[in-house]
Amino acid sequence: MTDTTSLWTPAALEAATGGLLHGDARAITGASIDTRTLQPGDLFFAIRGEARDGHAFVRGALENGAGAAVVSQDRAKEFADAGPVLAVAAGSEDPVLDAMRALGIASRARSSAGIVAVTGSVGKTGTKEALRHVLSAQGETHASVASYNNHWGVPLTLTRMPSSARYGVFEIGMNHAAEIVPLAAQVRPQVALVVTVEPVHIEHFRSLSAIADAKGEIFSGIEPGGVAIFNRDNANFERLLAHARASQAGRVISFGEHAEADVRANRIVTRPDLSVVDASVMGVPVTYQLGTAGRHTAMNSLGVLAVVHALGADLARAAISLAGLKPPVGRGERTALTIGDGAAFLVDESYNANPASIRAALATLSGIETSGRGRRIAVLGDMLELGPSAEQRHRELADAVRASGIDLVFTAGSMMRHLFEALPVANRGIAAATSADLVDAVLDSLRPGDAVMVKGSNSIRMGRIVEAVKARYAVGTDPREAPLKVAP
Ligand SMILES: Nc1ncnc2c1ncn2[C@@H]1O[C@H](COP(=O)(O)OP(=O)(O)OP(=O)(O)O)[C@@H](O)[C@H]1O
Ligand SMILES: [Mg+2]
């Protein structure tokens, strides 16, 4: 094969995995573990899923044009007539996952890209996408899809990285201690960023410092002389610093509002649809506009500029690029609404929820000025994975509701009901059992001048409320079309 667009040659596949290719080789142009999203030319890895074994989908994958399927040696015979397969040694719990990891490690080894790993309790995907946006303008950039940040997402993303990439950005996540260590060892970042440490996924942790320790694991994978980047304002700064110092990192860069932060925000002006940040990056003044709203995204953007600096990329161009950044789906997208003869404003935060991100979203909502008889409305669904403190964590949000001047709160789920009950009666909308039960009440309550924000854990499906509001009232996605005043 003399195909220059090929991601992996047959020889490279066999060398990296120790497997044997059977059948007529086809060009490999991508990689997949899921036939529902498989593209022609993808190398299909038949890994063991939680519910089904990927070997059940090998025939379908090859029929749909997979470049080849990676299967366990002891199953290879079944697919002799189905198309090209790479048979890898059987024996372990998931030989195909092992092969994917081996190929990912080979991908990293052949790469001359600047490699960045991003972790944190919240903001990993938003920050990863911001890095993709900024770095793509400066060179070929490969980045994780969605939140592909776990034991299969990270090696899959590695196997997909073209050898020509100039930058590689990898999201790394965890639910338990010790999960990040092997992932960081595969990615071997030159630059590792911990966006922030918050009480998220706390059901498996005793304390916030235990979460910080787990995030700090990312530094263990740093290449010798690499750069460790983390938030100077965070309560666990010292703890992360200790992890960075214990690693092979040659340098630490901190970001935040703290006077000693290396990448520091001197002033953040937040508007309903954007922010303006007056920053200092390693002593160099940089003022930039950011296409996403909220202090939290402004904070994350400081981390982005710290990464840009650490990679030796062009800081000024990066700062200009940030103006064109858009929030990822379900993480702050704004839609202008027409209600009756007036206008209102919808903020879609339905992707997920935890105490940190709900507080951030409420604070952002507080910065949106309403008009006429309009109100700030929060529509909140349960937060999951909070362990025994779940009830308390929901109830405590009443403080943030008050501090953010939210006028009306609708809740979905038995946990958010605890917040509902902790609110003054005047702030209570409706408490429903499910998001489906809440749709009509929210639709009926909206009126001209309102600003409404919808948020909840993914499986609570708050997105259906967003869809229903848009279906009835949406006029566009550009909030500047909404005649709402801008908060000072
Ligand atoms: N620094 C921050 N502080 C608080 N909330 C934040 C911060 N950054 C992002 N968020 C909010 O956290 C939520 C999740 O964002 P994002 O999807 O980027 O996080 P993630 O870490 O990738 O999550 P996951 O663990 O689901 O992959 C969004 O609502 C986002 O607006
Ligand atoms: Mg994510």
Side-chain angles (χ1 to χ4, degrees), residues 24-38:
D24 292 336
R26 303 175 187 167
I28 306 288
T29 50
S32 167
I33 61 162
D34 186 339
T35 49
R36 290 166 299 183
T37 50
L38 180 123

Side-chain angles (χ1 to χ4, degrees), residues 176-371:
H176 298 88
E179 271 173 13
I180 287 183
V181 171
L183 300 177
Q186 289 164 43
V187 172
R188 295 200 283 115
Q190 282 114 15
V191 182
L193 166 66
V194 179
V195 177
T196 186
V197 175
E198 302 286 347
V200 175
H201 299 306
I202 49 182
E203 61 185 347
H204 304 298
F205 290 92
R206 266 179 299 118
S207 64
L208 198 55
S209 19
I211 295 180
D213 289 340
K215 301 292 176 198
E217 288 173 19
I218 199 165
F219 301 142
S220 69
I222 281 189
E223 289 284 270
V227 186
I229 302 177
F230 44 101
N231 193 314
R232 186 67 182 82
D233 304 332
N234 196 271
N236 277 287
F237 171 77
E238 294 293 340
R239 208 146 180 126
L240 290 172
L241 185 61
H243 284 277
R245 289 205 170 127
S247 77
Q248 302 217 63
R251 196 168 160 207
V252 163
I253 300 181
S254 65
F255 66 93
E257 290 179 294
H258 195 284
E260 285 159 22
D262 301 308
V263 178
R264 187 175 65 247
N266 300 315
R267 185 156 177 260
I268 301 171
V269 180
T270 57
R271 306 258 169 161
D273 54 340
L274 58 86
S275 310
V276 178
V277 186
D278 176 6
S280 152
V281 181
M282 320 303 291
V284 178
V286 185
T287 299
Y288 58 96
Q289 184 175 315
L290 181 64
T292 55
R295 290 187 78 76
H296 59 295
T297 69
M299 280 297 134
N300 300 351
S301 75
L302 299 172
V304 168
L305 292 183
V307 170
V308 167
H309 173 82
L311 287 170
D314 188 323
L315 191 62
R317 276 174 73 195
I320 290 167
S321 297
L322 284 170
L325 188 66
K326 301 252 179 306
V329 175
R331 299 166 181 89
E333 188 200 1
R334 278 113 216 283
T335 306
L337 308 173
T338 297
I339 300 180
D341 55 3
F345 198 61
L346 169 70
V347 183
D348 176 6
E349 278 278 356
S350 62
Y351 162 71
N352 217 343
N354 51 62
S357 68
I358 289 199
R359 282 168 200 276
L362 290 172
T364 309
L365 181 60
S366 80
I368 302 177
E369 201 159 288
T370 54
S371 62

Side-chain angles (χ1 to χ4, degrees), residues 45-50 52-55 70-72 88-101 151-152:
F45 290 95
I47 66 170
R48 275 183 203 287
E50 269 160 35
R52 306 277 305 266
D53 181 346
H55 287 85
V70 185
V71 302
S72 175
V88 295
S92 71
E93 198 181 313
D94 191 341
V96 176
L97 181 61
D98 293 343
M100 184 162 82
R101 232 179 269 125
H151 65 285
W152 58 260

Side-chain angles (χ1 to χ4, degrees), residues 411-484:
T411 65
S414 56
M415 277 295 151
M416 255 324 160
R417 181 177 283 274
H418 294 295
L419 165 64
F420 189 85
E421 285 165 2
L423 293 172
V425 174
N427 298 137
R428 295 184 192 174
I430 300 271
T434 67
S435 56
D437 296 334
L438 201 52
V439 173
D440 289 340
V442 172
L443 285 177
D444 294 345
S445 87
L446 293 184
R447 63 189 193 210
D450 283 346
V452 54
M453 183 274 290
V454 182
K455 194 166 185 63
S457 273
N458 207 346
S459 55
I460 308 299
R461 302 202 41 208
M462 299 301 281
R464 72 171 110 218
I465 298 175
V466 171
E467 292 316 314
V469 171
K470 281 188 184 170
R472 182 159 327 165
Y473 299 117
V475 290
T477 50
D478 186 349
R480 278 155 289 206
E481 289 166 20
L484 288 172

Side-chain angles (χ1 to χ4, degrees), residues 162-184:
S163 55
S164 52
R166 179 147 159 228
Y167 300 108
V169 186
F170 293 82
E171 176 169 336
I172 299 188
M174 62 94 192
N175 293 316
H176 298 88
E179 271 173 13
I180 287 183
V181 171
L183 300 177

